[in-house]
Amino acid sequence: GHGDVHHLLLREGHIDKWEKEGRKHVIFLQDTNALVINSILPTLGVSIEKGFDMNSICIPRLAGEAAGAIARLE
Protein backbone atom coordinates (compact mmCIF):
# COMPACT_ATOMS: atom_id res chain seq x y z
CA GLY A 1 0.00 0.00 0.00
CA HIS A 2 0.87 3.65 0.12
CA GLY A 3 0.48 4.12 3.89
CA ASP A 4 4.23 3.88 4.34
CA VAL A 5 4.55 7.33 2.71
CA HIS A 6 2.46 8.93 5.46
CA HIS A 7 4.48 7.22 8.19
CA LEU A 8 7.74 8.32 6.56
CA LEU A 9 6.59 11.96 6.39
CA LEU A 10 5.71 11.91 10.09
CA ARG A 11 8.83 10.01 11.18
CA GLU A 12 11.21 12.31 9.30
CA GLY A 13 9.61 15.45 10.76
CA HIS A 14 8.17 16.80 7.52
CA ILE A 15 4.68 17.18 9.00
CA ASP A 16 5.92 19.35 11.88
CA LYS A 17 8.07 21.38 9.49
CA TRP A 18 5.14 21.97 7.13
CA GLU A 19 2.93 23.08 10.04
CA LYS A 20 5.57 25.58 11.18
CA GLU A 21 5.81 26.89 7.61
CA GLY A 22 2.05 27.44 7.61
CA ARG A 23 1.25 24.90 4.91
CA LYS A 24 -2.42 24.00 4.91
CA HIS A 25 -2.80 21.44 2.13
CA VAL A 26 -0.92 18.40 0.83
CA ILE A 27 -1.72 16.49 -2.34
CA PHE A 28 -0.61 12.90 -2.90
CA LEU A 29 -0.65 11.77 -6.52
CA GLN A 30 -0.49 8.13 -7.55
CA ASP A 31 1.55 8.21 -10.73
CA THR A 32 -0.22 5.29 -12.41
CA ASN A 33 -2.92 7.61 -13.73
CA ALA A 34 -1.61 10.76 -15.38
CA LEU A 35 -5.12 12.02 -16.22
CA VAL A 36 -5.97 12.53 -12.56
CA ILE A 37 -3.77 15.65 -12.66
CA ASN A 38 -6.67 17.44 -14.39
CA SER A 39 -8.84 17.05 -11.30
CA ILE A 40 -6.38 18.18 -8.61
CA LEU A 41 -7.33 21.88 -8.49
CA PRO A 42 -11.11 21.34 -8.58
CA THR A 43 -10.81 18.69 -5.88
CA LEU A 44 -8.65 20.95 -3.72
CA GLY A 45 -11.21 23.75 -4.14
CA VAL A 46 -14.09 21.50 -3.08
CA SER A 47 -12.07 20.22 -0.12
CA ILE A 48 -11.34 23.78 1.06
CA GLU A 49 -14.92 24.97 0.49
CA LYS A 50 -16.42 22.01 2.37
CA GLY A 51 -13.78 22.00 5.12
CA PHE A 52 -12.68 18.43 4.41
CA ASP A 53 -9.75 17.05 6.40
CA MET A 54 -9.18 14.53 3.63
CA ASN A 55 -10.56 13.87 0.17
CA SER A 56 -9.91 11.09 -2.35
CA ILE A 57 -10.63 10.83 -6.06
CA CYS A 58 -10.47 7.94 -8.49
CA ILE A 59 -11.38 6.99 -12.04
CA PRO A 60 -13.37 3.98 -13.20
CA ARG A 61 -11.44 1.30 -15.03
CA LEU A 62 -11.81 -2.34 -15.96
CA ALA A 63 -9.84 -5.03 -14.16
CA GLY A 64 -6.49 -5.51 -15.90
CA GLU A 65 -6.92 -2.35 -17.98
CA ALA A 66 -3.68 -0.49 -18.65
CA ALA A 67 -4.74 2.86 -17.21
CA GLY A 68 -1.59 4.67 -18.29
CA ALA A 69 1.40 5.97 -16.39
CA ILE A 70 3.57 9.06 -16.41
CA ALA A 71 6.59 7.16 -17.73
CA ARG A 72 7.19 3.91 -19.60
CA LEU A 73 10.38 1.86 -19.44
CA GLU A 74 11.64 0.86 -22.89
Side-chain angles (χ1 to χ4, degrees):
H2 301 287
D4 55 332
V5 171
H6 304 97
H7 174 71
L8 179 65
L9 290 171
L10 180 64
R11 186 187 75 201
E12 297 299 316
H14 295 292
I15 304 300
D16 291 334
K17 179 181 176 230
W18 290 346
E19 278 187 320
K20 288 176 187 170
E21 293 173 349
R23 296 181 191 230
K24 298 184 183 301
H25 310 287
V26 176
I27 295 172
F28 294 93
L29 175 67
Q30 185 174 348
D31 64 357
T32 54
N33 180 0
L35 295 177
V36 78
I37 291 171
N38 296 326
S39 62
I40 289 175
L41 290 178
T43 303
L44 179 59
V46 168
S47 297
I48 292 169
E49 182 179 282
K50 301 288 186 182
F52 293 163
D53 291 324
M54 182 180 141
N55 197 355
S56 179
I57 55 176
C58 64
I59 62 158
R61 70 180 191 97
L62 302 172
E65 177 183 12
I70 292 176
R72 181 176 73 201
L73 181 62
E74 292 186 12

